[in-house]
């Protein structure tokens, strides 16, 4: 029999979960009911479901899922200030843009999931859930969200849970920290109180900073992001499209789901390099100043 929860209990549990996630380091928390994920895709900038439904559905990953909790953690501004210097190191962004934040997102989502289970609700922590798959068909069809994706689409979940909005660069922008955030999620059987979504696009209509700052011309003015060009990372992983796709196929399972996973964190070691492009699209985006 399906476990039920009263209105008062729902509000209390939801607030408890928000407080716990915040205490653990989340700067934004939101809840999306799984029904929101069933709405038809539309790919326009600022629309509620402007990311294609890549990866698995919440109910596929956790049978009986009713809510998706999304958390955002911040990347400190100093990380970008340092990353944009001409110094030949990618250590700081690699660590505090990826590695440490992956662990923090695992820590937050694991603890939230355990707390929900202590209350009787089966819950699945997703953590940072970075890209691990390549869908060539979506690349060839020119979809807004190009081929690289993880097992669960965190950016789509972030829009649907009101954590942020989609920007021209394809990143999620939160109200307080702009695009300087990383995302994680918990899928749960608990019927938590839904958060309101945020309407419209966060990007000023004339802003082209990310488009012009990307060394690979991976972002166009309509908000299409070419993940193949982005993956090349300023030429480090190839310069021609075929070279980049060939390199990509070494790291991502293009055909099946059983082989070729990307070892995310080896790329964050200083000297191996993590984004020699210096994540210019994120570093130059002014939305964190808006507040
Ligand atoms: S991460 Fe680098 S290559 Fe990719 S879109 Fe941003 S600036 Fe361009
Ligand atoms: S740089 Fe400008 S256009 Fe690009 S994501 Fe940020 S606000 Fe939007």
């Amino acid at each position: 029999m399906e476990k039920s929860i009263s209105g008062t209990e729902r509000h209390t549990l939801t607030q408890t979960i928000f407080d716990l996630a915040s205490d653990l380091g989340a700067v934004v928390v939101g809840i999306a009911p799984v029904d929101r994920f069933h709405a038809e895709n539309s790919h326009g900038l600022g629309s509620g479901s402007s990311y294609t439904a890549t990866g698995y559905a919440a109910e596929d990953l956790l049978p009986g899922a009713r809510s998706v909790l999304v958390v955002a953690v911040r990347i400190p501004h100093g990380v970008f200030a340092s990353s944009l210097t001409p110094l030949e190191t990618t250590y700081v962004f690699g660590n505090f843009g990826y590695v440490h934040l992956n662990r923090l997102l695992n820590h937050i989502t694991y603890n939230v999931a355990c707390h929900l289970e202590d209350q009787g609700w089966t819950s699945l922590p997703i953590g940072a859930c970075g890209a691990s798959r390549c869908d060539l068909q979506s690349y060839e069809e020119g979809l807004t969200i190009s081929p690289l994706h993880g097992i669960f689409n965190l950016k789509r979940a972030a829009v649907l849970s009101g954590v942020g909005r989609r920007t021209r660069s394809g990143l999620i922008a939160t109200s307080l920290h702009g695009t300087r955030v990383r995302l994680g999620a918990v899928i749960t059987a608990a019927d938590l109180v839904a958060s309101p979504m945020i309407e419209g696009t966060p990007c000023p209509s004339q802003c082209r900073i990310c488009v012009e700052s990307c060394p690979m011309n991976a972002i166009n003015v309509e908000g299409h992001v070419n993940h193949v060009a982005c993956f090349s990372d300023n030429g480090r992983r190839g310069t021609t499209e075929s070279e980049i796709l060939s390199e990509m196929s070494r790291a991502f399972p293009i055909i099946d789901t059983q082989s070729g996973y990307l070892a995310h964190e080896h790329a964050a070691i200083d000297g191996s390099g993590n984004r020699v492009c210096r994540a210019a699209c994120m570093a130059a985006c002014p939305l964190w100043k808006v507040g």
Side-chain angles (χ1 to χ4, degrees):
M1 197 172 75
E2 199 171 73
K3 186 171 151 66
S4 61
I5 187 169
S6 73
T8 305
E9 287 170 336
R10 278 182 82 215
H11 281 87
T12 302
L13 180 59
T14 302
Q15 190 57 53
T16 302
I17 292 302
F18 271 58
D19 291 346
L20 175 59
S22 300
D23 289 347
L24 291 169
V27 292
V28 192
V29 187
I31 307 280
V34 292
D35 289 351
R36 280 189 190 165
F37 291 80
H38 300 154
E40 194 178 335
N41 284 323
S42 67
H43 307 311
L45 265 177
S47 66
S49 52
S50 56
Y51 292 96
T52 44
T54 53
Y56 298 109
E59 307 96 308
D60 293 338
L61 288 165
L62 180 68
R66 278 183 270 191
S67 307
V68 177
L69 174 132
V70 179
V71 295
V73 296
R74 64 183 289 190
I75 303 173
H77 303 312
V79 169
F80 292 103
S82 181
S83 187
L84 288 174
T85 67
L87 299 177
E88 292 188 2
T89 169
T90 58
Y91 164 76
V92 175
F93 186 73
N95 196 359
F96 293 104
Y98 284 102
V99 174
H100 174 70
L101 297 187
N102 288 350
R103 289 174 181 21
L104 179 59
L105 287 160
N106 283 349
H107 181 69
I108 295 169
T109 58
Y110 170 81
N111 279 284
V112 166
C114 288
H115 183 88
L116 283 162
E117 293 208 335
D118 288 345
Q119 309 305 308
W121 304 103
T122 307
S123 300
L124 176 69
I126 293 289
C129 181
S132 59
R133 308 289 169 85
C134 177
D135 177 356
L136 269 188
Q137 187 183 349
S138 87
Y139 171 66
E140 284 161 4
E141 290 176 359
L143 296 180
T144 305
I145 293 307
S146 290
L148 304 185
H149 61 87
I151 63 163
F152 185 67
N153 191 330
L154 289 171
K155 289 178 184 165
R156 187 160 186 259
V159 171
L160 297 176
S161 62
V163 161
R165 291 178 289 173
R166 185 188 186 285
T167 63
R168 179 166 282 114
S169 67
L171 297 167
I172 285 288
T174 59
S175 299
L176 270 183
H177 299 280
T179 56
R180 296 179 165 199
V181 292
R182 295 283 314 287
L183 303 168
V186 177
I187 300 170
T188 179
D191 182 19
L192 299 172
V193 178
S195 306
M197 291 167 57
I198 314 171
E199 296 300 322
T201 173
C203 297
S205 60
Q206 300 307 315
C207 185
R208 301 288 182 268
I209 292 172
C210 55
V211 176
E212 289 161 6
S213 63
C214 173
M216 294 309 300
N217 298 316
I219 306 165
N220 78 8
V221 292
E222 280 83 39
H224 177 88
V225 183
N226 183 337
H227 284 185
V228 173
C230 175
F231 181 81
S232 89
D233 194 12
N234 209 10
R236 180 162 62 102
R237 301 190 185 102
T239 50
T240 67
E241 193 160 304
S242 61
E243 280 174 355
I244 301 162
L245 283 167
S246 167
E247 184 66 24
M248 187 183 285
S249 71
R250 287 183 228 268
F252 293 87
I254 286 178
I255 297 171
D256 62 77
T257 57
Q258 303 295 320
S259 58
Y261 289 88
L262 178 70
H264 294 293
E265 297 191 350
H266 81 120
I269 299 166
D270 188 29
S272 269
N274 188 329
R275 301 297 349 170
V276 290
C277 71
R278 298 176 187 278
C281 56
M282 189 187 269
C285 175
L287 288 174
W288 63 278
K289 295 175 186 163
V290 176

